[in-house]
Amino acid sequence: MMKRVLLFIATNLLVIATISTIMSVLGLHSYLTAYGINYEKLAIFCAIWGMGGAFISLLMSKFIAKMAMGVVIINPNNATREEHFLLEIIYVLAKQAGLVHMPEVGIYHSPELNAFATGASKNNSLVAVSSGLLMNMNRDEIEAVLGHEISHIANGDMVTMTLIQGVVNSFALFLSRIIAYAISLSMSRGDEKTGEISYMAYSVMTIIFDLLFTVLGTILVASYSRWREFRADQGGAKLAGRHKMIAALRKLQNGSDMIDERAPSLAAFKISHHPNWLEIFSTHPPLEKRIAKLQEMN
């Protein structure tokens, strides 16, 4: 537990330190001037904070996944029979999907029935499978799950998800500061309008609108995430077979009560995740809807 907490803190400190250094070098902290907002500086400020954090996290995603989930990478030179079985399936599926570089393949020890794919690009990816999934699924079901994960990589979902998250973050930061400035300016009163604002009011308003737009942005990101899960299911069905994909999702339904709470940031990348009580915030559609979609495929 302490290892995961320290990893989380270290990662966020690295992101903050890196972006703050860039801001200082470019002189972007002073987007508020005596004449109002410097919109060019503000736009660059928000883009760096919004996109920078997302892309630094993407570049570190494989390392974070390995550390947080305890993923053991399979070495083909001394792999067990079970590990060779995984490598062979991944090799065939990756070739079918048109991947040029074979992803790293690993196993993490957990009772949950799950798997995930992550990495900075198609050529630098990782597929990790839980020991619980390997123990509870047959070959056909495992092949379908791996086909789902290979489809995520082939579709470039990790990069696209990062781009969407970065754009949403940037717009949230930009809009919240403009609206906060306008409200703070309207609240400032004196004998005459001087254009000066209360920086305390501006800071409070910025925090409020940051939270509001972040929540609204989460709905957009979650909507895309649900769509990419449907698409990866269809990709897995094309690679491994529709009946295998449906059987795998049904098996995931049976094991949905087993949840590994480690590394919450990876939850969106797993094949199975409990839908949020409010579906618009869920990164995954309900498994019954995913099965129904596959049954409708021609």
Side-chain angles (χ1 to χ4, degrees), residues 82-94 97 99 103-107 114-117 126-130 133-134 137-154 232 235-237 239-240 244-245 248 271:
E82 182 184 60
E83 291 169 345
H84 269 300
F85 154 75
L86 274 180
L87 291 174
E88 287 169 7
I89 294 177
I90 289 284
Y91 177 80
V92 171
L93 293 172
L99 295 182
E104 281 190 287
V105 184
I107 299 172
N114 235 319
F116 65 85
L126 164 70
V127 174
V129 184
S130 73
L133 185 141
L134 294 175
M137 285 193 173
N138 61 35
R139 180 187 174 91
D140 286 350
E141 292 161 349
I142 292 171
E143 184 182 350
V145 168
L146 294 176
H148 174 102
E149 299 307 332
I150 288 294
S151 293
H152 275 310
I153 297 171
L239 291 172
K244 293 180 184 180
M245 194 71 243
I271 186 172

Side-chain angles (χ1 to χ4, degrees), residues 62 66 73-74 87 90 102-106 124-128:
K62 277 177 62 175
K66 291 174 185 177
I73 300 301
I74 299 174
L87 291 174
I90 289 284
M102 173 92 164
E104 281 190 287
V105 184
N124 181 22
S125 58
L126 164 70
V127 174

Side-chain angles (χ1 to χ4, degrees), residues 65-77:
K66 291 174 185 177
M67 293 292 291
M69 300 300 295
V71 177
V72 179
I73 300 301
I74 299 174
N75 183 343
N77 297 321

Side-chain angles (χ1 to χ4, degrees), residues 114 255-259 261 267 272-277 282-285:
N114 235 319
S256 61
D257 57 330
M258 291 180 285
I259 306 170
E261 299 290 354
S272 179
H273 182 59
H274 270 300
N276 197 291
W277 66 274
S282 295
T283 56
H284 289 61

